[in-house]
Amino acid sequence: MVEISHLLDELTCAGCGTTNALWLYPVRGVVECRECGEKASILLDPLDGFDSIDSLGSCGGDS
């Protein structure tokens, strides 16, 4: 099974200090650092959808 994840650009892990290693797993509600393995639970607004984590127009929407 393929899991959807999004790289969180320009964010730094508070645990190890690595930039561009944080990945969001919206289905699990988790952000994980691929460098040190640190994880954090998150809450997403289900009415907002996931468009807010993508840049405008990146999913074929209006620019």
Side-chain angles (χ1 to χ4, degrees):
M1 174 190 244
V2 175
E3 185 170 23
I4 297 172
S5 62
H6 300 275
L7 173 65
L8 300 176
D9 290 325
E10 302 300 321
L11 293 181
T12 302
C13 176
C16 67
T18 303
T19 303
N20 294 331
L22 297 176
W23 286 79
L24 169 65
Y25 297 91
V27 174
R28 293 191 292 162
V30 172
V31 171
E32 179 179 6
C33 177
R34 292 222 175 140
E35 187 68 25
C36 70
E38 189 73 30
K39 295 179 184 170
S41 297
I42 60 161
L43 297 174
L44 292 174
D45 184 357
L47 299 177
D48 185 34
F50 299 118
D51 291 338
S52 62
I53 56 177
D54 292 326
S55 61
L56 184 62
S58 66
C59 292
D62 295 336
S63 298

